[in-house]
Amino acid sequence: MALTAQWAEAWIRECSQVLTEHRTALIELDRAIGDADHGENMQRGFAAVVAKLDAGGQETPGAVFKLTAMTLMSTVGGAAGPLYGTAFLRAATALGDAAEIDPAAVVGFLTAARDGVVARGKAEPGDKTMIDAWTPAVEAADTAQSAGASAVEVLEAAANAAQAGALATEPLIARKGRASYLGERSAGHRDPGAQSSALILQAAADTAGRQQ
């Protein structure tokens, strides 16, 4: 089953709900190594996107992602707004005006999103950032697609890898962002951006699975 604008909008709405549910947990993760505002910022940003989606008018997945990008950039504080905004903008560009997303296009937009975050944040795997969730997600998605997986299965593979990647940030010493100021004291704490990325990608898989 190909994914459409209906799925893209359902994904973003699910993101808003999930980030609201995990707001406090993300705040606590960020309190340990950051500004303690990641959960609040993400909740506010996606709530603003949902308000824009309620007005309608987005007829393709790319249009949904572009609206998401622009809204996050204008409403989310700190580094998260530019990083997630760039991710969704690159994803929108990768999809163009396509009405449906097949498995290869899923890999394409996930890769474009990850590359956008890298371009904006200059982080690499192992730096204890959201890239530690996104890179394994992209690699798992590519492997699944090459093995003949459906679009839903590709998203599920990406989500599972992203969560594993987020968990794997706990022992790392941060080399980018505010957490890097803590040096070795940043070890032992999960990166909040990696965790929010994992939640967002899990929402993508969950909503796609429900639409099968």
Side-chain angles (χ1 to χ4, degrees):
M1 183 195 76
L3 303 173
T4 64
Q6 181 183 9
W7 162 75
E9 183 170 332
W11 174 24
I12 301 305
R13 292 181 183 278
E14 178 87 354
C15 285
S16 181
Q17 180 177 334
V18 168
L19 291 166
T20 296
E21 293 170 356
H22 289 83
R23 173 182 176 275
T24 300
L26 291 173
I27 287 173
E28 291 306 313
L29 288 178
D30 199 28
R31 190 186 308 282
I33 58 175
D35 294 330
D37 61 357
H38 188 63
E40 181 178 350
N41 284 340
M42 295 299 290
Q43 179 193 27
R44 182 176 66 250
F46 276 87
V49 179
V50 168
K52 293 281 186 68
L53 288 173
D54 286 343
Q58 281 65 53
E59 297 181 355
T60 65
V64 173
F65 293 167
K66 185 175 181 180
L67 176 70
T68 301
M70 297 306 177
T71 307
L72 293 178
M73 286 180 179
S74 63
T75 59
V76 177
L83 289 170
Y84 276 112
T86 300
F88 277 100
L89 188 59
R90 292 287 188 92
T93 301
L95 292 174
D97 295 328
E100 296 184 341
I101 307 173
D102 63 12
V106 172
V107 176
F109 86 72
L110 290 176
T111 302
R114 187 276 311 273
D115 292 348
V117 174
V118 171
R120 173 70 72 166
K122 311 301 183 187
E124 301 175 352
D127 283 346
K128 198 183 181 90
T129 71
M130 57 198 290
I131 290 302
D132 290 302
W134 277 95
T135 290
V138 167
E139 292 172 348
D142 186 50
T143 298
Q145 190 272 328
S146 297
S150 67
V152 174
E153 291 167 339
V154 170
L155 285 172
E156 289 172 345
N160 291 336
Q163 183 57 40
L167 290 172
T169 64
E170 291 184 5
L172 299 178
I173 295 172
R175 297 196 294 253
K176 290 287 184 181
R178 186 176 179 83
S180 66
Y181 302 159
L182 298 175
E184 293 186 0
R185 287 181 295 156
S186 65
H189 302 284
R190 191 180 313 173
D191 180 70
Q195 185 57 46
S196 64
S197 294
L199 291 170
I200 285 169
L201 290 172
Q202 186 62 58
D206 289 346
T207 50
R210 288 198 293 268
Q211 292 188 8
Q212 285 191 104

